[in-house]
Amino acid sequence: MLHNKASCCNGDKNNNNAQENGDPSRRDFIVLSAGALGAVGAAATAWPFINSMNPSADVLALSSIEVDLSPIQPGQSIKVKWRGKPVFVRRRTKEEIAAARAVNVADLRDPQTDESRVKSGHDEWLIVIGVCTHLGCVPLVNQGDYGGWFCPCHGSQYDTSARIRKGPAPLNLAVPEYTFLTDTKIRIG
């Protein structure tokens, strides 16, 4: 049996229009499915590149350090390195704490109380980033008129709470984020 091309294609006109235009609900499903599959594929392709921007394991290891405080005697300071910067850890004497708290905060260039620069219950411990806020030099410990730190580059002097008292530095030495893990161990960062 031979099919007549004309008879095959000249069937029901409504059926032909439905085939030419397609079923709207089916077409929407196909378009949405293709779009969703494309989005998932793009995300799966982009993820390795985005993930490569995260810090590496060695950088994360440097983001925090633990410091053992037990060998530090009252009146002594040590310097540790954190994120490439020096950090001063000082165990202050009762006299140094009293002197820092006796200062009139209104007279300070960068007014901060001593209590706001130490952790409650651990008043003897002062932890500050050892970078002068003037030009980034490293101050010398137990120097200057106030018994704290002295920056020899331009003469900035800090007290025993690392607050700027004299010289061109505009701000106090910064206090990093730190927590006491025990009474004799801290984590900086």
Side-chain angles (χ1 to χ4, degrees):
M1 177 173 166
L2 293 172
H3 290 291
N4 184 352
K5 188 175 183 181
S7 67
C8 174
C9 295
N10 288 335
D12 184 13
K13 288 190 175 192
N14 289 336
N15 190 22
N16 280 342
N17 284 339
Q19 288 176 354
E20 286 175 11
N21 295 334
D23 183 9
S25 63
R26 182 176 177 193
R27 188 173 353 133
D28 289 345
F29 173 75
I30 292 172
V31 168
L32 287 173
S33 297
L37 187 62
V40 168
T45 302
W47 180 251
F49 300 109
I50 294 169
N51 194 34
S52 71
M53 293 181 210
N54 284 331
S56 61
D58 60 335
V59 171
L60 288 175
L62 293 175
S63 67
S64 67
I65 60 168
E66 291 183 4
V67 180
D68 182 16
L69 304 175
S70 58
I72 305 171
Q73 299 301 313
Q76 183 184 8
S77 294
I78 65 165
K79 181 172 54 173
V80 296
K81 195 169 188 178
W82 172 66
R83 294 183 183 173
K85 299 177 188 173
V87 174
F88 296 131
V89 178
R90 183 173 184 139
R91 186 172 185 183
R92 303 182 301 170
T93 63
K94 291 181 185 201
E95 294 80 21
E96 289 174 333
I97 296 168
R101 293 190 175 171
V103 172
N104 184 0
V105 178
D107 294 339
L108 298 174
R109 184 176 308 156
D110 184 11
Q112 285 183 318
T113 63
D114 181 66
E115 292 86 351
S116 69
R117 299 181 55 76
V118 296
K119 299 284 183 187
S120 179
H122 299 281
D123 297 338
E124 66 182 337
W125 296 104
L126 178 69
I127 291 88
V128 293
I129 296 176
V131 176
C132 180
T133 58
H134 179 233
L135 291 176
C137 306
V138 178
L140 304 173
V141 70
N142 294 329
Q143 305 270 329
D145 297 342
Y146 302 96
W149 289 268
F150 172 72
C151 184
C153 299
H154 298 98
S156 294
Q157 296 187 35
Y158 301 88
D159 66 9
T160 57
S161 191
R163 298 174 295 196
I164 183 64
R165 299 295 299 275
K166 191 188 237 183
L171 301 171
N172 302 329
L173 294 181
V175 176
E177 194 65 37
Y178 70 95
T179 56
F180 277 86
L181 302 175
T182 66
D183 284 342
T184 59
K185 186 176 274 194
I186 59 169
R187 177 182 293 132
I188 302 172

